[in-house]
Amino acid sequence: RTFDSFDLPFGVIAAGFSPTPKAPVQIASIETLKNRIEKLHKPDLLVIDEAHLSAATGWKKLILHYRSIVCKIIGLTATPWRLSGDGLGDIYDTMVQGPSTAWLIKNNYLSDYKVYAPKTPDLSGVHSKIGDYLNNELVTAMDKGSITGDAVSHYLALARDKKALAFCVSIEHSKHVSAQFRASGVMAVHIDGETPLDDRNRAFNAFADGDIKVITSVAIFCEGFDLSSQVGREVPIEAVILLRPTQSLTLFLQQIGRALRRKPYPAIILDHSGNTVLRHGLPDDDREWTLEGRGKSKQGQSCTPVRTCPKCFAVVKA
């Protein structure tokens, strides 16, 4: 849809699409491309979206293949960070940094924001593995009626009627959260990888129309979700509800990024995970990105100390 809006001819390499080999641009998923790599002509340019995932096994094999046949490669990402702490320098040669989030907000390319952190969850019984929290222990810590009840009450107090995405720990957790919203009179739906496409499309359009206020999920919307392109008209996501603690700076920034698309009023970030206060700081902190590795000890550290107002729960720079 985005290529159509720029009148750029393209083909789609995917099951169910007729090949259009003469089109100057071909769009494909990584999974499809790596399975057809030997059948395709060498491109002049390979563009990798969400390039922080480039080190994943299938992605890296694909990229290194195109490097070996001397194809120019550009990787695009808002968050060039690997959870392991390793860099991306074994895949890419040079990093060209675009404008910072703070600059984009100041110059009206991204929405301003307000962060509220009513409570931070107790994760004392949750262990870590491979740089992030163990999911089964995280479910036990977060899938509680008291935490979900706080999320609902603070949505009603601070973001009532705004279009909100809630990020949860598991499918069952997400279903519980959506059910508790509905029980409180807020129309909410859960979406996961098994949700039929027609049901997804209906939910997105009802969300855009304001008939659904909250969509809960686990990882469906963490990267690259564009509501406006899904429904064919300009509709911003107005709020995010963070119910998934994470040590991954990438995951944190991708989640809050869903609400930062341009609009004339601030996005609302309701943090019930401790991600802003305890781990990662604010969306527009000044972060230094590099292709070099950064020790695991630095993974997820907040760049700027923050404080939480004891009355309204707003999070501000200290």
Side-chain angles (χ1 to χ4, degrees), residues 14-313:
F17 287 84
S18 298
T20 52
K22 292 186 178 180
V25 176
Q26 301 291 330
I27 301 171
S29 73
I30 291 288
E31 292 301 315
T32 300
L33 199 57
K34 74 179 186 182
N35 291 331
R36 304 189 188 186
I37 195 169
E38 301 297 338
K39 302 176 183 178
L40 300 173
H41 293 295
K42 173 193 167 185
D44 300 307
L45 176 68
L46 179 71
V47 180
I48 303 291
D49 199 16
E50 307 297 355
H52 53 277
L53 301 174
S54 296
T57 303
W59 294 55
K60 189 171 184 178
K61 179 180 178 182
L62 181 79
I63 295 167
L64 293 180
H65 166 79
Y66 281 114
R67 283 192 62 155
S68 71
I69 60 174
V70 198
C71 168
K72 291 185 173 68
I73 299 172
I74 295 177
L76 306 173
T77 177
T79 52
W81 183 299
R82 286 160 71 174
L83 188 60
S84 65
D86 296 331
L88 291 166
D90 56 336
I91 300 171
Y92 299 100
D93 299 317
T94 304
M95 177 179 288
V96 179
Q97 295 194 39
S100 67
T101 300
W103 187 94
L104 291 168
I105 291 173
K106 182 179 179 181
N107 289 274
N108 299 316
Y109 289 97
L110 290 178
S111 167
D112 204 353
Y113 66 88
K114 293 182 179 178
V115 178
Y116 299 93
K119 288 185 180 178
T120 55
D122 179 9
L123 302 183
S124 57
V126 179
H127 298 87
S128 298
K129 187 176 182 180
I130 318 178
D132 209 352
Y133 297 114
L134 286 171
N135 210 64
N136 60 330
E137 296 181 356
L138 207 53
V139 170
T140 302
M142 295 301 296
D143 193 1
K144 295 179 177 179
S146 58
I147 295 177
T148 305
D150 278 346
V152 173
S153 64
H154 284 95
Y155 169 83
L156 291 170
L158 298 165
R160 181 186 290 266
D161 291 334
K162 290 189 180 293
K163 298 176 181 66
L165 297 180
F167 295 95
C168 304
V169 179
S170 69
I171 288 176
E172 287 304 310
H173 181 212
S174 177
K175 290 178 178 178
H176 296 160
V177 171
S178 64
Q180 199 152 336
F181 268 101
R182 291 193 298 271
S184 300
V186 179
M187 186 56 199
V189 296
H190 156 84
I191 289 179
D192 61 44
E194 300 300 319
T195 304
L197 187 59
D198 287 345
D199 290 350
R200 278 200 205 197
N201 290 334
R202 278 193 292 270
F204 293 156
N205 280 285
F207 187 54
D209 292 338
D211 298 326
I212 292 172
K213 299 299 184 185
V214 178
I215 298 181
T216 69
S217 68
V218 180
I220 292 285
F221 306 122
C222 290
E223 289 164 335
F225 176 66
D226 182 355
L227 176 63
S228 296
S229 73
Q230 294 287 332
V231 299
R233 60 191 191 275
E234 191 63 32
V235 184
I237 295 164
E238 300 170 299
V240 292
I241 303 168
L242 306 181
L243 289 162
R244 180 182 178 180
T246 180
Q247 296 174 44
S248 169
L249 176 62
T250 292
L251 180 57
F252 166 70
L253 291 176
Q254 293 281 350
Q255 288 178 348
I256 60 178
R258 298 312 104 214
L260 295 183
R261 287 185 180 270
R262 185 170 54 184
K263 50 188 168 293
Y265 46 88
I268 302 297
I269 300 167
L270 301 178
D271 184 6
H272 297 268
S273 64
N275 286 336
T276 54
V277 177
L278 299 179
R279 286 176 282 277
H280 304 302
L282 297 172
D284 57 348
D285 277 356
D286 185 19
R287 295 180 169 89
E288 183 180 349
W289 303 108
T290 175
L291 289 177
E292 298 176 3
R294 8 166 135 239
K296 292 183 181 180
S297 61
K298 294 184 178 181
Q299 187 72 17
Q301 282 188 350
S302 170
C303 296
T304 304
V306 297
R307 296 182 67 182
T308 304
C309 173
K311 291 185 178 180
C312 72
F313 308 115

